[in-house]
Amino acid sequence: MMNDSNIAMTQPIVEIKSLYKVFGKNPKSVLKAVKQGISKQALLEQTGHTIGLFDINLTINRGEVFVIMGLSGSGKSTLIRHFNRMIDPTVGEIIIDGQNIIQLKQSQLEAFRRHKIAMVFQNFGLMPHLNILDNVAYGLKINGVNKTERYDHAKRWINIVGLEGYDLQFPMQLSGGQKQRVGLARALAVDTDILLMDEPFSALDPLIRREMQAQLIELQSNLHKTIIFITHDLDEALKMGDRIAILKDGKIIQLDTPEEILKNPADDYVADFVRDVKF
Amino acid sequence: MAETNWFYDFPKMDKAQLTAIKKHLDTAYRDFSRNYGEAIENFFEPLLNLMVWFENLLLATPWWLMIIILCGLSYLASRSYKLSVGVFAALLSIGYLSMWDDTMRTLSIITICTLIAIALGIPIGIIMARSNLARSIITPLLDIMQTMPAFVYLIPVVMLLGIGKIPGLIAVVIYAIPPVIRFTNLGIRLVDKEVLEAATAFGANKSQRLWGVQVPLALPTIMAGINQTIMMALAMVVIASMIGVKGLGQPVLKSITNQYFTLGLFNGLAIVALAIIFDRVSSAYAKRSQKQYQEQNDE
Ligand SMILES: Nc1ncnc2c1ncn2[C@@H]1O[C@H](COP(=O)(O)OP(=O)(O)OP(=O)(O)O)[C@@H](O)[C@H]1O
Ligand SMILES: [Mg+2]
């Protein structure tokens, strides 16, 4: 596990309370039916709305690596995009550092994203027209940090992730693993408390993936960030996570430590996941 | 027999009524142009002065200096000696066949029309990319502008402003602006969703997203639109010469009425030469400015 010393692990930084997300023309109109427990299939056939997330409740502690796992379409990306309000919930509360971010106005939301929370993307999301230095410095530039300072800072992070000398290359000239190192450096450079990672290593081949996992674990042992990490790979979830939430059809069906999930899977779906783990 | 009448002949509006409607609209428009024509002319006066000044500037510049400038510009834009040599040869032949002054006039109006089309077209394209409502309003307008025979919209322009440079400019801009608008819209809409999402996630606001991500990434597409706009403006120059735009179009017009084949051909070829120069230079520039991050992609 990434964090063996559980001393500071009980201070909550993120809380989500009764959060629902329904996709469609008029989500509020079908919310009642959703709360009464209509199935995803039936709702879609009858009203054309899709249940994205169903009654999500969770608390994430400061310094924790919180893994969200589930099969394709289970709602992982939808959930993680609520933490920085890239997606607005249909109902529910998202409290980060004591503040309900649902109430933020556009400009406050932008400030919140700049200072509190950074993100790493599955397909890297790098700016193809900017070189590596400017990519890593992007968040700092948005923050209004001046040029010399942000380049200094960006260079430091480029070195830390092991890309020294690549400053003036463009993303197109890098391999997948190198691109994701840039994505990671960009997210770390803004120095936020919270780091969102939506399947950051899924696009990489197994060897590189293992390397990146090791690197992230090592970085985290110094940084102690709050990391919300998405994966559909159980091995990765067990390796990275302090706690794991398992999503199915937009519901959290188990939220536990890796040991507990291996020992006491909540249902057949989880048991299926766990079955071929190599201990 | 009344029944066969509507069966074989389209049930028409009463002729007198139709004439009355046409007359009414024409009179209304004529009154409008009588009342506001002068105000509109005054509005365009600075633009007219600019056009006259620029045309005189090009005409007053010695031919050899002009050739140096044009070859230099095309080298700067394309960084290709071959292209600059081509431009040099084309300009020499144009001058030698005594079409220099007309070519300069055309160059002047095309330059100004293109700049105006870009200045209006890119913002309109951006608005269109940002709102589906704007897109659904603007798209049919662009369709009309592109399919309406150019002669038809020359009529109200001439009624309003008479014959001359400004009406010519308006006609050319109307005819040539649709590609910049369309390509700007398209380019912005095609920007990779995840890249835009990344900008949003790092707290970029609307204008930081637009100028930092969307416009730069749409630039190759926008350049393709500008290129097409220039080509269309050049094509329109011949038609605009009917309403008094001087330049290579007028000799072409003259050769149609007098059946001077060679005169028409030479001036036509001069327009083609200008078109090729503009096309090659602008696309070489577009390619060069994208090269740094696209060359790996092209392999
Ligand atoms: N904008 C949207 N409109 C309608 N339905 C959506 C939208 N976004 C997501 N959904 C639906 O929500 C569900 C969850 O999608 P989501 O992308 O969160 O899944 P995921 O767990 O991230 O899957 P993957 O592993 O494939 O990335 C899916 O059924 C999807 O069809
Ligand atoms: Mg996903």
Side-chain angles (χ1 to χ4, degrees):
Chain A
M1 292 327 100
M2 290 189 65
N3 211 331
D4 289 324
S5 57
N6 284 5
I7 323 148
M9 292 280 291
T10 41
Q11 189 191 358
I13 182 166
V14 178
E15 268 180 282
I16 290 193
K17 291 181 188 164
S18 351
L19 181 138
Y20 289 79
K21 177 66 189 178
V22 180
F23 292 107
K25 279 222 164 73
N26 190 356
K28 293 255 188 263
S29 70
V30 298
L31 194 61
K32 202 168 158 203
V34 171
K35 284 186 174 175
Q36 280 165 358
I38 187 172
S39 79
K40 190 170 171 168
Q41 191 70 30
L43 185 77
L44 187 63
E45 275 165 16
Q46 286 166 27
T47 68
H49 287 71
T50 310
I51 300 178
L53 293 171
F54 183 90
D55 195 20
I56 302 290
N57 291 283
L58 53 83
T59 304
I60 298 172
N61 296 315
R62 201 173 282 280
E64 178 177 35
V65 178
F66 188 92
V67 170
I68 300 167
M69 195 177 74
L71 296 177
S72 185
S74 56
K76 306 182 297 291
S77 297
T78 307
L79 179 54
I80 204 173
R81 276 164 181 69
H82 278 82
F83 292 100
N84 58 355
R85 261 189 67 194
M86 304 281 282
I87 297 179
D88 281 324
T90 307
V91 284
E93 282 176 52
I94 304 168
I95 296 159
I96 293 179
D97 255 351
Q99 184 179 36
N100 187 357
I101 63 162
I102 306 303
Q103 284 155 4
L104 298 180
K105 290 195 213 59
Q106 186 61 30
S107 61
Q108 294 171 312
L109 180 60
E110 279 153 13
F112 163 78
R113 287 175 184 150
R114 287 200 284 265
H115 300 293
K116 275 269 146 72
I117 202 157
M119 190 159 180
V120 178
F121 295 84
Q122 179 169 3
N123 297 306
F124 323 123
L126 302 181
M127 317 277 163
H129 61 301
L130 301 181
N131 63 30
I132 302 313
L133 188 60
D134 279 316
N135 261 290
V136 174
Y138 183 78
L140 298 168
K141 186 178 177 193
I142 297 294
N143 275 341
V145 178
N146 71 45
K147 205 167 189 164
T148 36
E149 206 174 312
R150 71 172 185 260
Y151 281 173
D152 269 5
H153 202 70
K155 274 184 185 146
R156 209 157 52 236
W157 280 107
I158 289 173
N159 293 344
I160 291 174
V161 299
L163 286 177
E164 48 272 77
Y166 283 88
D167 295 14
L168 302 180
Q169 302 268 325
F170 284 83
M172 286 302 178
Q173 297 165 299
L174 268 51
S175 71
Q178 291 173 320
K179 281 183 203 168
Q180 198 56 299
R181 285 173 209 272
V182 177
L184 189 60
R186 173 176 68 178
L188 293 173
V190 282
D191 199 22
T192 55
D193 291 342
I194 304 171
L195 187 58
L196 305 177
M197 307 182 88
D198 186 359
E199 304 206 38
F201 307 145
S202 297
L204 309 175
D205 57 58
L207 218 71
I208 307 289
R209 190 186 310 178
R210 228 166 295 150
E211 241 176 77
M212 295 289 292
Q213 288 165 351
Q215 185 172 38
L216 183 61
I217 290 171
E218 198 204 309
L219 280 169
Q220 171 67 354
S221 67
N222 297 320
L223 296 172
H224 307 298
K225 293 204 179 267
T226 307
I227 299 181
I228 300 170
F229 189 104
I230 287 189
T231 178
H232 59 250
D233 172 20
L234 183 70
D235 282 331
E236 190 169 67
L238 296 173
K239 198 163 165 185
M240 312 297 296
D242 293 313
R243 281 189 304 152
I244 301 173
I246 296 180
L247 266 183
K248 182 192 174 192
D249 292 338
K251 286 180 203 148
I252 293 185
I253 52 174
Q254 187 165 11
L255 199 172
D256 252 323
T257 59
E259 295 85 351
E260 270 309 303
I261 284 178
L262 287 178
K263 253 190 284 174
N264 301 314
D267 66 2
D268 291 349
Y269 179 81
V270 183
D272 251 4
F273 257 119
V274 173
R275 201 168 43 210
D276 13 65
V277 179
K278 323 141 199 128
F279 285 96
Chain B
M1 273 188 291
E3 281 108 291
T4 47
N5 263 349
W6 67 259
F7 193 83
Y8 289 107
D9 294 323
F10 204 99
K12 281 198 246 15
M13 197 175 184
D14 181 38
K15 216 175 190 163
Q17 221 177 335
L18 187 63
T19 316
I21 289 179
K22 287 182 190 162
K23 225 181 211 162
H24 181 75
L25 285 176
D26 282 351
T27 326
Y29 187 73
R30 201 165 296 136
D31 287 345
F32 171 78
S33 61
R34 209 165 282 154
N35 291 335
Y36 294 99
E38 210 178 302
I40 295 173
E41 245 168 68
N42 289 340
F43 173 77
F44 282 116
E45 174 127 8
L47 192 59
L48 181 63
N49 293 338
L50 173 74
M51 290 176 78
V52 171
W53 172 81
F54 191 58
E55 188 179 300
N56 288 338
L57 180 73
L58 291 191
L59 286 171
T61 311
W63 61 270
W64 50 269
L65 182 58
M66 207 59 218
I67 291 185
I68 294 174
I69 292 173
L70 290 174
C71 290
L73 281 179
S74 47
Y75 180 74
L76 279 183
S78 66
R79 294 291 146 89
S80 147
Y81 283 110
K82 252 203 217 145
L83 191 58
S84 308
V85 170
V87 172
F88 181 69
L91 290 174
L92 278 189
S93 341
I94 283 172
Y96 194 64
L97 295 172
S98 79
M99 297 181 292
W100 184 262
D101 284 0
D102 280 339
T103 303
M104 287 305 111
R105 291 193 185 100
T106 297
L107 189 61
S108 154
I109 189 167
I110 292 298
T111 308
I112 290 183
C113 286
T114 305
L115 291 178
I116 291 175
I118 293 171
L120 295 175
I122 290 182
I124 296 175
I126 290 173
I127 292 170
M128 210 171 148
R130 290 186 147 200
S131 131
N132 286 334
L133 177 70
R135 180 176 61 168
S136 60
I137 295 168
I138 296 170
T139 305
L141 287 178
L142 294 179
D143 292 339
I144 293 172
M145 281 160 74
Q146 281 187 300
T147 44
M148 176 81 76
F151 300 100
V152 177
Y153 59 74
L154 287 183
I155 304 165
V157 174
V158 170
M159 279 171 77
L160 199 59
L161 295 165
I163 276 178
K165 281 195 166 58
I166 291 292
L169 173 119
I170 293 174
V172 174
V173 170
I174 292 178
Y175 183 78
I177 202 172
V180 206
I181 300 179
R182 279 189 208 278
F183 279 68
T184 304
N185 167 53
L186 185 72
I188 289 180
R189 282 179 186 264
L190 286 181
V191 167
D192 183 354
K193 251 190 71 203
E194 213 186 33
V195 175
L196 197 60
E197 205 183 23
T200 313
F202 280 92
N205 60 30
K206 255 187 167 183
S207 78
Q208 287 168 325
R209 283 202 300 266
L210 181 67
W211 299 112
V213 180
Q214 291 173 302
V215 169
L217 290 182
L219 212 54
T221 316
I222 296 175
M223 284 302 295
I226 290 176
N227 181 291
Q228 281 202 21
T229 286
I230 298 173
M231 296 302 109
M232 289 181 67
L234 271 162
M236 186 65 190
V237 154
V238 176
I239 296 173
S241 68
M242 290 175 58
I243 56 170
V245 171
K246 285 190 192 154
L248 292 167
Q250 284 205 325
V252 173
L253 201 65
K254 194 160 99 192
S255 39
I256 293 172
T257 38
N258 299 324
Q259 303 181 1
Y260 296 148
F261 175 62
T262 318
L263 178 73
L265 185 66
F266 279 177
N267 282 277
L269 284 175
I271 293 178
V272 171
L274 273 187
I276 293 175
I277 294 172
F278 268 117
D279 177 57
R280 293 300 131 77
V281 171
S282 66
S283 51
Y285 174 73
K287 218 186 230 157
R288 202 168 59 80
S289 63
Q290 299 306 317
K291 203 169 145 199
Q292 40 187 358
Y293 65 88
Q294 286 201 329
E295 61 187 357
Q296 298 287 316
N297 207 16
D298 291 343
E299 283 169 10

PDB file of all heavy atoms in Angstrom, chain A residues 23-24 40 50-52 70-79 122 198-199 232, ligand 1:
ATOM      1  N   PHE A  23     -28.391  11.898 -17.065  1.00  0.00           N
ATOM      2  CA  PHE A  23     -28.162  12.550 -18.355  1.00  0.00           C
ATOM      3  C   PHE A  23     -29.460  12.568 -19.147  1.00  0.00           C
ATOM      4  O   PHE A  23     -30.216  11.612 -19.130  1.00  0.00           O
ATOM      5  CB  PHE A  23     -27.110  11.793 -19.168  1.00  0.00           C
ATOM      6  CG  PHE A  23     -25.734  11.866 -18.587  1.00  0.00           C
ATOM      7  CD1 PHE A  23     -25.167  10.769 -17.960  1.00  0.00           C
ATOM      8  CD2 PHE A  23     -24.987  13.031 -18.674  1.00  0.00           C
ATOM      9  CE1 PHE A  23     -23.884  10.832 -17.429  1.00  0.00           C
ATOM     10  CE2 PHE A  23     -23.702  13.100 -18.146  1.00  0.00           C
ATOM     11  CZ  PHE A  23     -23.155  11.996 -17.531  1.00  0.00           C
ATOM     12  N   GLY A  24     -29.693  13.659 -19.868  1.00  0.00           N
ATOM     13  CA  GLY A  24     -30.881  13.721 -20.719  1.00  0.00           C
ATOM     14  C   GLY A  24     -31.431  15.126 -20.782  1.00  0.00           C
ATOM     15  O   GLY A  24     -30.831  16.064 -20.254  1.00  0.00           O
ATOM     16  N   LYS A  40     -31.875   1.340 -14.867  1.00  0.00           N
ATOM     17  CA  LYS A  40     -31.240   2.160 -15.896  1.00  0.00           C
ATOM     18  C   LYS A  40     -31.887   1.904 -17.256  1.00  0.00           C
ATOM     19  O   LYS A  40     -32.225   2.833 -17.992  1.00  0.00           O
ATOM     20  CB  LYS A  40     -29.744   1.799 -15.929  1.00  0.00           C
ATOM     21  CG  LYS A  40     -28.911   2.712 -16.765  1.00  0.00           C
ATOM     22  CD  LYS A  40     -27.418   2.440 -16.558  1.00  0.00           C
ATOM     23  CE  LYS A  40     -26.618   3.238 -17.576  1.00  0.00           C
ATOM     24  NZ  LYS A  40     -25.189   3.264 -17.292  1.00  0.00           N
ATOM     25  N   THR A  50     -30.491   8.807 -19.090  1.00  0.00           N
ATOM     26  CA  THR A  50     -29.534   7.790 -18.633  1.00  0.00           C
ATOM     27  C   THR A  50     -29.132   8.085 -17.202  1.00  0.00           C
ATOM     28  O   THR A  50     -28.817   9.234 -16.870  1.00  0.00           O
ATOM     29  CB  THR A  50     -28.259   7.830 -19.493  1.00  0.00           C
ATOM     30  OG1 THR A  50     -28.631   7.805 -20.861  1.00  0.00           O
ATOM     31  CG2 THR A  50     -27.369   6.647 -19.186  1.00  0.00           C
ATOM     32  N   ILE A  51     -29.146   7.046 -16.354  1.00  0.00           N
ATOM     33  CA  ILE A  51     -28.621   7.233 -14.994  1.00  0.00           C
ATOM     34  C   ILE A  51     -27.111   7.180 -15.067  1.00  0.00           C
ATOM     35  O   ILE A  51     -26.533   6.193 -15.524  1.00  0.00           O
ATOM     36  CB  ILE A  51     -29.134   6.129 -14.044  1.00  0.00           C
ATOM     37  CG1 ILE A  51     -30.663   6.154 -13.987  1.00  0.00           C
ATOM     38  CG2 ILE A  51     -28.545   6.330 -12.647  1.00  0.00           C
ATOM     39  CD1 ILE A  51     -31.251   5.076 -13.106  1.00  0.00           C
ATOM     40  N   GLY A  52     -26.470   8.267 -14.665  1.00  0.00           N
ATOM     41  CA  GLY A  52     -25.005   8.292 -14.650  1.00  0.00           C
ATOM     42  C   GLY A  52     -24.475   7.870 -13.284  1.00  0.00           C
ATOM     43  O   GLY A  52     -23.614   7.010 -13.178  1.00  0.00           O
ATOM     44  N   GLY A  70     -14.230   0.112 -11.717  1.00  0.00           N
ATOM     45  CA  GLY A  70     -15.477  -0.392 -12.280  1.00  0.00           C
ATOM     46  C   GLY A  70     -15.273  -0.690 -13.745  1.00  0.00           C
ATOM     47  O   GLY A  70     -14.278  -0.274 -14.343  1.00  0.00           O
ATOM     48  N   LEU A  71     -16.235  -1.401 -14.309  1.00  0.00           N
ATOM     49  CA  LEU A  71     -16.119  -1.742 -15.720  1.00  0.00           C
ATOM     50  C   LEU A  71     -16.442  -0.521 -16.580  1.00  0.00           C
ATOM     51  O   LEU A  71     -16.922   0.499 -16.078  1.00  0.00           O
ATOM     52  CB  LEU A  71     -17.075  -2.889 -16.069  1.00  0.00           C
ATOM     53  CG  LEU A  71     -16.793  -4.227 -15.369  1.00  0.00           C
ATOM     54  CD1 LEU A  71     -17.853  -5.250 -15.735  1.00  0.00           C
ATOM     55  CD2 LEU A  71     -15.398  -4.723 -15.742  1.00  0.00           C
ATOM     56  N   SER A  72     -16.193  -0.665 -17.863  1.00  0.00           N
ATOM     57  CA  SER A  72     -16.487   0.423 -18.797  1.00  0.00           C
ATOM     58  C   SER A  72     -17.977   0.780 -18.733  1.00  0.00           C
ATOM     59  O   SER A  72     -18.835  -0.095 -18.725  1.00  0.00           O
ATOM     60  CB  SER A  72     -16.111  -0.031 -20.213  1.00  0.00           C
ATOM     61  OG  SER A  72     -16.274   1.040 -21.084  1.00  0.00           O
ATOM     62  N   GLY A  73     -18.261   2.066 -18.623  1.00  0.00           N
ATOM     63  CA  GLY A  73     -19.650   2.512 -18.582  1.00  0.00           C
ATOM     64  C   GLY A  73     -20.243   2.520 -17.186  1.00  0.00           C
ATOM     65  O   GLY A  73     -21.412   2.853 -17.005  1.00  0.00           O
ATOM     66  N   SER A  74     -19.449   2.179 -16.164  1.00  0.00           N
ATOM     67  CA  SER A  74     -20.001   2.128 -14.812  1.00  0.00           C
ATOM     68  C   SER A  74     -20.130   3.516 -14.190  1.00  0.00           C
ATOM     69  O   SER A  74     -20.770   3.660 -13.148  1.00  0.00           O
ATOM     70  CB  SER A  74     -19.125   1.236 -13.930  1.00  0.00           C
ATOM     71  OG  SER A  74     -17.792   1.708 -13.952  1.00  0.00           O
ATOM     72  N   GLY A  75     -19.537   4.535 -14.808  1.00  0.00           N
ATOM     73  CA  GLY A  75     -19.709   5.897 -14.302  1.00  0.00           C
ATOM     74  C   GLY A  75     -18.473   6.499 -13.673  1.00  0.00           C
ATOM     75  O   GLY A  75     -18.556   7.545 -13.028  1.00  0.00           O
ATOM     76  N   LYS A  76     -17.315   5.863 -13.879  1.00  0.00           N
ATOM     77  CA  LYS A  76     -16.085   6.346 -13.250  1.00  0.00           C
ATOM     78  C   LYS A  76     -15.730   7.761 -13.706  1.00  0.00           C
ATOM     79  O   LYS A  76     -15.494   8.644 -12.888  1.00  0.00           O
ATOM     80  CB  LYS A  76     -14.913   5.400 -13.584  1.00  0.00           C
ATOM     81  CG  LYS A  76     -15.174   3.947 -13.245  1.00  0.00           C
ATOM     82  CD  LYS A  76     -13.977   3.076 -13.548  1.00  0.00           C
ATOM     83  CE  LYS A  76     -13.583   3.021 -15.015  1.00  0.00           C
ATOM     84  NZ  LYS A  76     -14.518   2.314 -15.882  1.00  0.00           N
ATOM     85  N   SER A  77     -15.709   7.959 -15.044  1.00  0.00           N
ATOM     86  CA  SER A  77     -15.341   9.290 -15.555  1.00  0.00           C
ATOM     87  C   SER A  77     -16.370  10.328 -15.138  1.00  0.00           C
ATOM     88  O   SER A  77     -16.026  11.471 -14.829  1.00  0.00           O
ATOM     89  CB  SER A  77     -15.232   9.263 -17.075  1.00  0.00           C
ATOM     90  OG  SER A  77     -14.202   8.402 -17.472  1.00  0.00           O
ATOM     91  N   THR A  78     -17.621   9.929 -15.126  1.00  0.00           N
ATOM     92  CA  THR A  78     -18.675  10.847 -14.704  1.00  0.00           C
ATOM     93  C   THR A  78     -18.436  11.280 -13.262  1.00  0.00           C
ATOM     94  O   THR A  78     -18.508  12.469 -12.937  1.00  0.00           O
ATOM     95  CB  THR A  78     -20.051  10.169 -14.829  1.00  0.00           C
ATOM     96  OG1 THR A  78     -20.185   9.655 -16.146  1.00  0.00           O
ATOM     97  CG2 THR A  78     -21.170  11.142 -14.546  1.00  0.00           C
ATOM     98  N   LEU A  79     -18.110  10.327 -12.397  1.00  0.00           N
ATOM     99  CA  LEU A  79     -17.904  10.655 -10.985  1.00  0.00           C
ATOM    100  C   LEU A  79     -16.691  11.568 -10.781  1.00  0.00           C
ATOM    101  O   LEU A  79     -16.775  12.586 -10.104  1.00  0.00           O
ATOM    102  CB  LEU A  79     -17.743   9.361 -10.176  1.00  0.00           C
ATOM    103  CG  LEU A  79     -17.489   9.540  -8.670  1.00  0.00           C
ATOM    104  CD1 LEU A  79     -18.567  10.420  -8.030  1.00  0.00           C
ATOM    105  CD2 LEU A  79     -17.437   8.187  -7.966  1.00  0.00           C
ATOM    106  N   GLN A 122      -6.715  10.364 -19.372  1.00  0.00           N
ATOM    107  CA  GLN A 122      -6.415   9.060 -19.966  1.00  0.00           C
ATOM    108  C   GLN A 122      -5.612   9.189 -21.257  1.00  0.00           C
ATOM    109  O   GLN A 122      -4.634   8.495 -21.469  1.00  0.00           O
ATOM    110  CB  GLN A 122      -7.722   8.308 -20.240  1.00  0.00           C
ATOM    111  CG  GLN A 122      -7.491   6.957 -20.886  1.00  0.00           C
ATOM    112  CD  GLN A 122      -8.736   6.096 -20.917  1.00  0.00           C
ATOM    113  OE1 GLN A 122      -9.817   6.511 -20.499  1.00  0.00           O
ATOM    114  NE2 GLN A 122      -8.594   4.888 -21.402  1.00  0.00           N
ATOM    115  N   ASP A 198      -7.832  10.199 -14.210  1.00  0.00           N
ATOM    116  CA  ASP A 198      -8.838   9.367 -14.873  1.00  0.00           C
ATOM    117  C   ASP A 198      -8.138   8.336 -15.761  1.00  0.00           C
ATOM    118  O   ASP A 198      -7.710   8.651 -16.859  1.00  0.00           O
ATOM    119  CB  ASP A 198      -9.773  10.242 -15.709  1.00  0.00           C
ATOM    120  CG  ASP A 198     -10.919   9.433 -16.310  1.00  0.00           C
ATOM    121  OD1 ASP A 198     -10.962   8.207 -16.080  1.00  0.00           O
ATOM    122  OD2 ASP A 198     -11.760  10.029 -17.006  1.00  0.00           O
ATOM    123  N   GLU A 199      -8.011   7.137 -15.275  1.00  0.00           N
ATOM    124  CA  GLU A 199      -7.311   6.052 -15.977  1.00  0.00           C
ATOM    125  C   GLU A 199      -6.004   6.544 -16.599  1.00  0.00           C
ATOM    126  O   GLU A 199      -5.791   6.416 -17.796  1.00  0.00           O
ATOM    127  CB  GLU A 199      -8.202   5.459 -17.079  1.00  0.00           C
ATOM    128  CG  GLU A 199      -9.537   4.965 -16.539  1.00  0.00           C
ATOM    129  CD  GLU A 199     -10.125   3.863 -17.403  1.00  0.00           C
ATOM    130  OE1 GLU A 199      -9.348   3.028 -17.898  1.00  0.00           O
ATOM    131  OE2 GLU A 199     -11.359   3.855 -17.568  1.00  0.00           O
ATOM    132  N   HIS A 232      -9.724   0.520 -14.334  1.00  0.00           N
ATOM    133  CA  HIS A 232     -10.631  -0.630 -14.464  1.00  0.00           C
ATOM    134  C   HIS A 232      -9.862  -1.925 -14.190  1.00  0.00           C
ATOM    135  O   HIS A 232     -10.361  -3.013 -14.391  1.00  0.00           O
ATOM    136  CB  HIS A 232     -11.295  -0.655 -15.842  1.00  0.00           C
ATOM    137  CG  HIS A 232     -10.314  -0.723 -16.970  1.00  0.00           C
ATOM    138  ND1 HIS A 232     -10.088   0.337 -17.822  1.00  0.00           N
ATOM    139  CD2 HIS A 232      -9.492  -1.699 -17.369  1.00  0.00           C
ATOM    140  CE1 HIS A 232      -9.158  -0.002 -18.687  1.00  0.00           C
ATOM    141  NE2 HIS A 232      -8.773  -1.225 -18.451  1.00  0.00           N
TER     142      HIS A 232
HETATM  143  N1  LIG C   1     -22.864  13.360 -21.743  1.00  0.00           N
HETATM  144  C1  LIG C   1     -23.529  12.204 -21.570  1.00  0.00           C
HETATM  145  N2  LIG C   1     -24.788  12.071 -22.009  1.00  0.00           N
HETATM  146  C2  LIG C   1     -25.465  10.927 -21.826  1.00  0.00           C
HETATM  147  N3  LIG C   1     -24.975   9.856 -21.212  1.00  0.00           N
HETATM  148  C3  LIG C   1     -23.718   9.908 -20.751  1.00  0.00           C
HETATM  149  C4  LIG C   1     -22.926  11.086 -20.904  1.00  0.00           C
HETATM  150  N4  LIG C   1     -21.722  10.872 -20.346  1.00  0.00           N
HETATM  151  C5  LIG C   1     -21.755   9.608 -19.871  1.00  0.00           C
HETATM  152  N5  LIG C   1     -22.957   9.029 -20.100  1.00  0.00           N
HETATM  153  C6  LIG C   1     -23.364   7.689 -19.693  1.00  0.00           C
HETATM  154  O1  LIG C   1     -23.008   7.502 -18.354  1.00  0.00           O
HETATM  155  C7  LIG C   1     -22.513   6.195 -18.141  1.00  0.00           C
HETATM  156  C8  LIG C   1     -21.164   6.227 -17.503  1.00  0.00           C
HETATM  157  O2  LIG C   1     -20.194   6.786 -18.399  1.00  0.00           O
HETATM  158  P1  LIG C   1     -18.680   7.035 -17.981  1.00  0.00           P
HETATM  159  O3  LIG C   1     -17.997   7.665 -19.113  1.00  0.00           O
HETATM  160  O4  LIG C   1     -18.657   7.736 -16.683  1.00  0.00           O
HETATM  161  O5  LIG C   1     -18.152   5.540 -17.788  1.00  0.00           O
HETATM  162  P2  LIG C   1     -16.696   5.041 -17.392  1.00  0.00           P
HETATM  163  O6  LIG C   1     -16.875   4.217 -16.197  1.00  0.00           O
HETATM  164  O7  LIG C   1     -15.759   6.182 -17.320  1.00  0.00           O
HETATM  165  O8  LIG C   1     -16.332   4.101 -18.611  1.00  0.00           O
HETATM  166  P3  LIG C   1     -14.920   3.908 -19.368  1.00  0.00           P
HETATM  167  O9  LIG C   1     -14.155   2.889 -18.572  1.00  0.00           O
HETATM  168  O10 LIG C   1     -15.330   3.370 -20.678  1.00  0.00           O
HETATM  169  O11 LIG C   1     -14.242   5.236 -19.448  1.00  0.00           O
HETATM  170  C9  LIG C   1     -22.553   5.503 -19.483  1.00  0.00           C
HETATM  171  O12 LIG C   1     -23.730   4.717 -19.533  1.00  0.00           O
HETATM  172  C10 LIG C   1     -22.637   6.622 -20.471  1.00  0.00           C
HETATM  173  O13 LIG C   1     -23.385   6.219 -21.590  1.00  0.00           O
END
